[in-house]
Amino acid sequence: MISLVLILPIIFCLILFFFKNNTLNNILITLYALLHSSVGIAYFLKPELLGECNYFGLGSSNIVFYLVLSIVFLAVSVYNCGYSKNLAKEFPAKKMMLYSIMILIFVFSMTGGILSNNLGLAWIFIEGTTLASAYLIYFNKTKHSIEAAWKYVFICSIGIALAFVGIILLTIATGDINTLNYNDLMNNAKSFSHFWLNVSFVFILFGLGTKMGLAPVHFWLPDAHSEAPSPISALLSATLLNCAFLVILNVYKVMLCANCVIFARTMLLIMGFLSLFVTAVFLYHTTNYKRMLAYSSIENMGILAIATALGGIAYFALIIHLIGHSLIKASFFLTSGNVLELFETKRIKSIRSLGLIDKKTAWLWIASFLGICAFPPSMLFLSEFLIVKAFLIQKHFILCALFLFLLTVVLFGMARVVIKMVYGKKSEEKFELAKKNITKISKTMYIPQVAMLTLAFILGVYIPKFLDVIIKNTLIG
Amino acid sequence: MVNGFIILFGLTMLYLSTTSRLKAHVDALVAQGILLFLICAAGFHHMPWFIILFLTIETLLVKAILIPLFLNKVLKKTHLKRDTDANIAHFYCLFISSAILFGGFMVSVLDIPSLSMINPMCFGIALATIIISLWLITIKQKILSNVIEFITMENGIFLLSLSVAKEMPMLVNIGVLLDVFIAIYILGLFVSQINKELGDMEVAHLSDLKDSENND
């Protein structure tokens, strides 16, 4: 089945290329999303169905990342059924075909990156995600989308090239052991040169940190997330960043096995706090609600880096946060797609009285905001609570205070925007336009967000035993 | 002899940092491609023959012929001649690049046990090339110059991978090739699209997306 999940998108791409039909585009994307999810389910019910593969595998270390990708992709594919109908009115069939093909290649690359058990192979797939998603960011072909895509490709390519330098340095660290397989690296980590391990981690962290959106190498992220079509923004934020993070996490595990983790922890803490700081400062000035969501992604990636650095109880928080952020942020970005369809603008100032125009979108907007800002019972409340506890257990009181302060500033910045957008005084001109556009929002553009938010809030109060086990195993495996 | 080629490779970076003519930049890329080919062919017999064959053909074909051809085509199409608006004068560029290259040489003469796994000259010059390229990206104003510095950085990384005195996994070589594809992708798709959309190739014109302005 693992081979199938990697081969099928290529076959689907060929079919789409020859038929150029919008309905077929949606059917094949949804079909692939269903197959993708079924592999995740098979892992729990019938693991023998997954089969053996030399370079790819589904195990305790990557199953959470895979499941998150499956759920978000399924939600995006359902949303895309309604969204692409609106796009198809503006763009020719050929362009819609390319859009669908690139989505399949993008998800294929992310899947390959998550499933690969070899650092070199994971790096190749991460590079593949850049190639596929660049087209999707550039999809609208406006001056701004070209700018965003250019920055994305150029900055991420430099980042990925630096990560490659890190991989070369890691091969120096490994000495006589000639492998990039994660398990082999972890098993032999004790014999590695600590000096070269530390140097290679710096390059890998900065390189893949660029892709993950960690400050100070995050510059592409707000532009790319805001210019891409909303389903793509959801995929970029909720799944692509996780893929890059998984590779960093695997290299970090090698550092852990080599007992050479103090330097790596310091680096992660610095980049994590810097990401929170950047979000707190820039979120306050942004005038574009999609950029606001992009900055929130930088913040949450920073929280993941901090949780990794803290260790102990924060490891559990890390996986909870990763799942919660992906579900809620995907929902937030998809809902932003509804807002954009209604008001035809990304300017915060132009959007008021959302609650009077489309109650369902307004509620989704508020629920996503409450979820991302860690209001209980959101999963993020649990994770952030545990991270604070980890700070206190390790007696990092000043860092804990700084963490809480920066989170509060971010919460205030987002609350200000969300409340104004939903309850602010209406402008007649925009009000009429949005009322007219409400027909563009089909049912499939609400259901995925409701499902993901429900899941994120339920998991905030009750984590089933099987999920608890895989969360705990993710960092041990 | 290999060390001679490596030093010549390092010197091409000095040439790149002192010239503003874009055609000269492309010529320097051709020189780098040929030098990398010679370094691969002459000095790396510790690798299996098929890897050496793959590397030599790849460097000669892609780095010395295909990419420069692409770049020349773009130069003709866009009528670009010079990148005269660099943030730093040529003299200082030369000075800073020389200092970085000197640092690279210093790394190569260090006698540290942790450097036993690598070819020191190759490692030092590769590191200097990567740093000079990254620095040049930050000071050049034309998009095409940025692409050229990106490719020189890739060449530096390629040299770095050659510096490891053990058999590198084939995946790493595929990785290098994939990087080259990225360069061609950037060149082929974006550079011409940006030129079509914006009418010129200035980095400064790609700065509309800001937080303080209203971007619809």
Side-chain angles (χ1 to χ4, degrees):
Chain A
M1 272 185 106
I2 285 181
S3 312
L4 199 67
V5 92
L6 291 170
I7 294 167
L8 214 61
I10 299 164
I11 299 169
F12 283 180
C13 285
L14 289 173
I15 297 172
L16 290 182
F17 182 77
F18 288 111
F19 286 95
K20 295 184 187 68
N21 179 300
N22 198 34
T23 316
L24 189 67
N25 292 345
N26 289 333
I27 289 172
L28 290 191
I29 288 176
T30 315
L31 198 63
Y32 181 49
L34 287 169
L35 179 99
H36 206 279
S37 312
S38 65
V39 170
I41 296 164
Y43 174 82
F44 296 105
L45 301 179
K46 277 198 167 180
E48 65 272 12
L49 277 178
L50 295 177
E52 292 282 318
C53 210
N54 268 347
Y55 288 103
F56 303 97
L58 204 51
S60 54
S61 59
N62 58 1
I63 180 69
V64 170
F65 290 80
Y66 183 86
L67 285 178
V68 167
L69 173 60
S70 287
I71 296 169
V72 173
F73 178 41
L74 189 60
V76 166
S77 66
V78 173
Y79 182 90
N80 194 54
C81 291
Y83 186 82
S84 64
K85 273 183 194 160
N86 297 335
L87 278 186
K89 287 174 194 162
E90 287 177 52
F91 299 107
K94 191 184 166 193
K95 201 169 173 189
M96 291 309 294
M97 173 268 291
L98 277 174
Y99 170 78
S100 307
I101 285 179
M102 286 302 173
I103 289 181
L104 286 174
I105 297 175
F106 182 35
V107 176
F108 158 76
S109 310
M110 287 192 287
T111 311
I114 288 174
L115 291 179
S116 52
N117 49 29
N118 184 298
L119 181 58
L121 202 60
W123 178 86
I124 289 173
F125 276 106
I126 298 278
E127 185 145 338
T129 60
T130 312
L131 296 178
S133 52
Y135 176 82
L136 294 167
I137 294 167
Y138 172 56
F139 180 75
N140 286 322
K141 289 203 174 176
T142 60
K143 192 184 166 200
H144 285 157
S145 65
I146 288 180
E147 183 184 332
W150 168 257
K151 283 180 186 169
Y152 172 62
V153 172
F154 200 69
I155 295 173
C156 283
S157 298
I158 290 174
I160 291 167
L162 290 180
F164 188 68
V165 173
I167 294 174
I168 293 169
L169 297 176
L170 186 68
T171 58
I172 299 174
T174 57
D176 297 328
I177 298 146
N178 204 6
T179 180
L180 287 175
N181 181 290
Y182 291 132
N183 287 336
D184 293 343
L185 287 174
M186 281 176 217
N187 292 336
N188 297 296
K190 285 206 167 67
S191 64
F192 293 172
S193 153
H194 283 202
F195 170 76
W196 288 113
L197 259 185
N198 280 329
V199 178
S200 78
F201 186 75
V202 172
F203 277 92
I204 290 175
L205 181 63
F206 265 89
L208 290 171
T210 310
K211 194 85 183 173
M212 187 184 160
L214 284 176
V217 280
H218 64 282
F219 301 104
W220 65 272
L221 198 143
D223 295 346
H225 281 50
S226 65
E227 289 307 314
S230 296
I232 308 307
S233 307
L235 279 177
L236 285 170
S237 180
T239 57
L240 177 68
L241 309 186
N242 294 350
C243 287
F245 178 60
L246 175 62
V247 182
I248 294 175
L249 198 61
N250 281 327
V251 177
Y252 182 76
K253 279 191 217 169
V254 176
M255 306 281 286
L256 269 177
C257 294
N259 285 329
C260 168
V261 87
I262 299 166
F263 178 70
R265 275 192 172 149
T266 315
M267 289 285 301
L268 281 166
L269 262 185
I270 292 171
M271 287 182 88
F273 272 100
L274 216 53
S275 304
L276 286 183
F277 179 75
V278 163
T279 308
V281 172
F282 283 89
L283 198 128
Y284 225 72
H285 297 287
T286 191
T287 53
N288 175 324
Y289 57 88
K290 280 189 87 178
R291 285 181 81 87
M292 176 186 81
L293 301 187
Y295 277 114
S296 163
S297 296
I298 296 172
E299 174 217 355
N300 284 288
M301 289 304 115
I303 294 174
L304 291 184
I306 290 170
T308 314
L310 285 175
I313 196 173
Y315 282 153
F316 188 75
L318 158 71
I319 303 299
I320 300 270
H321 197 90
L322 184 127
I323 300 170
H325 169 252
S326 296
L327 293 175
I328 299 166
K329 187 52 67 63
S331 158
F332 220 159
F333 265 117
L334 293 181
T335 310
S336 80
N338 291 7
V339 177
L340 186 57
E341 289 292 315
L342 288 169
F343 288 88
E344 296 177 5
T345 178
K346 293 175 210 151
R347 285 170 64 175
I348 292 167
K349 262 187 183 173
S350 306
I351 295 157
R352 295 288 182 265
S353 306
L354 185 59
L356 294 177
I357 294 156
D358 184 1
K359 275 201 173 111
K360 281 175 268 183
T361 299
W363 277 113
L364 285 172
W365 193 246
I366 290 173
S368 303
F369 159 71
L370 292 176
I372 213 74
C373 285
F375 278 90
S378 160
M379 281 181 94
L380 299 194
F381 172 74
L382 183 62
S383 62
E384 287 175 15
F385 180 78
L386 289 174
I387 291 170
V388 169
K389 195 175 169 185
F391 269 123
L392 296 177
I393 289 170
Q394 295 178 22
K395 295 188 175 145
H396 296 309
F397 300 116
I398 296 171
L399 287 181
C400 182
L402 184 64
F403 179 74
L404 287 172
F405 171 73
L406 290 172
L407 286 189
T408 313
V409 174
V410 172
L411 185 147
F412 178 71
M414 283 185 87
R416 211 172 49 126
V417 170
V418 169
I419 291 169
K420 270 185 191 167
M421 283 172 70
V422 176
Y423 300 109
K425 204 177 165 189
K426 69 180 180 188
S427 115
E428 282 305 324
E429 186 196 342
K430 284 285 172 190
F431 189 80
E432 291 307 317
L433 175 78
K435 273 282 178 202
K436 203 176 78 186
N437 284 337
I438 203 159
T439 49
K440 286 183 180 174
I441 317 283
S442 62
K443 272 184 188 160
T444 57
M445 292 166 81
Y446 299 114
I447 295 166
Q449 295 98 302
V450 174
M452 284 191 289
L453 286 173
T454 311
L455 194 60
F457 282 111
I458 289 174
L459 290 177
V461 281
Y462 170 70
I463 296 176
K465 202 171 178 196
F466 79 94
L467 193 61
D468 189 46
V469 171
I470 63 164
I471 288 173
K472 281 174 182 157
N473 285 343
T474 302
L475 283 138
I476 303 163
Chain B
M1 189 170 67
V2 176
N3 279 353
F5 293 143
I6 295 170
I7 291 168
L8 277 177
F9 180 87
L11 292 177
T12 57
M13 287 312 294
L14 292 189
Y15 180 61
L16 265 172
S17 56
T18 50
T19 178
S20 58
R21 281 183 308 122
L22 291 167
K23 182 77 179 68
H25 279 64
V26 179
D27 293 343
L29 277 186
V30 175
Q32 284 196 350
I34 292 169
L35 285 167
L36 283 175
F37 162 74
L38 292 172
I39 293 166
C40 276
F44 290 87
H45 300 300
H46 59 274
M47 294 183 188
W49 65 269
F50 56 90
I51 293 186
I52 296 180
L53 191 74
F54 171 80
L55 289 177
T56 45
I57 293 175
E58 187 234 315
T59 37
L60 192 66
L61 197 73
V62 181
K63 290 183 191 293
I65 300 171
L66 279 180
I67 290 183
L69 261 175
F70 252 111
L71 284 167
N72 275 326
K73 214 172 159 187
V74 174
L75 280 180
K76 260 189 193 166
K77 204 171 156 188
T78 52
H79 307 291
L80 283 172
K81 296 269 184 266
R82 285 173 183 274
D83 187 346
T84 46
D85 305 324
N87 296 331
I88 299 174
H90 281 146
F91 172 74
Y92 296 110
C93 273
L94 182 64
F95 182 76
I96 294 168
S97 301
S98 305
I100 297 170
L101 201 60
F102 181 71
F105 275 116
M106 285 291 104
V107 170
S108 68
V109 294
L110 286 177
D111 188 21
I112 306 173
S114 19
L115 292 178
S116 61
M117 284 296 294
I118 52 174
N119 175 340
M121 178 64 82
C122 221
F123 185 79
I125 300 293
L127 220 56
T129 305
I130 294 168
I131 297 169
I132 293 172
S133 304
L134 281 173
W135 175 65
L136 288 178
I137 285 174
T138 62
I139 63 161
K140 298 278 182 176
Q141 292 294 312
K142 290 266 187 281
I143 289 167
L144 207 64
S145 308
N146 285 355
V147 173
I148 292 170
E149 312 321 345
F150 176 72
I151 296 166
T152 57
M153 188 182 78
E154 293 292 343
N155 288 346
I157 293 172
F158 183 75
L159 194 63
L160 190 76
S161 70
L162 292 179
S163 75
V164 184
K166 68 174 185 181
E167 185 191 325
M168 294 288 280
M170 191 63 180
L171 276 170
V172 174
N173 302 325
I174 296 170
V176 174
L177 196 63
L178 206 67
D179 263 343
V180 174
F181 276 126
I182 279 253
I184 293 173
Y185 185 78
I186 291 172
L187 273 175
L189 283 175
F190 282 98
V191 173
S192 55
Q193 278 298 331
I194 289 169
N195 189 48
K196 208 163 88 183
E197 190 67 36
L198 305 179
D200 64 24
M201 306 281 273
E202 294 285 334
V203 176
H205 291 161
L206 288 173
S207 56
D208 260 14
L209 292 170
K210 285 175 188 156
D211 290 303
S212 51
E213 286 169 18
N214 295 321
N215 303 306
D216 285 344

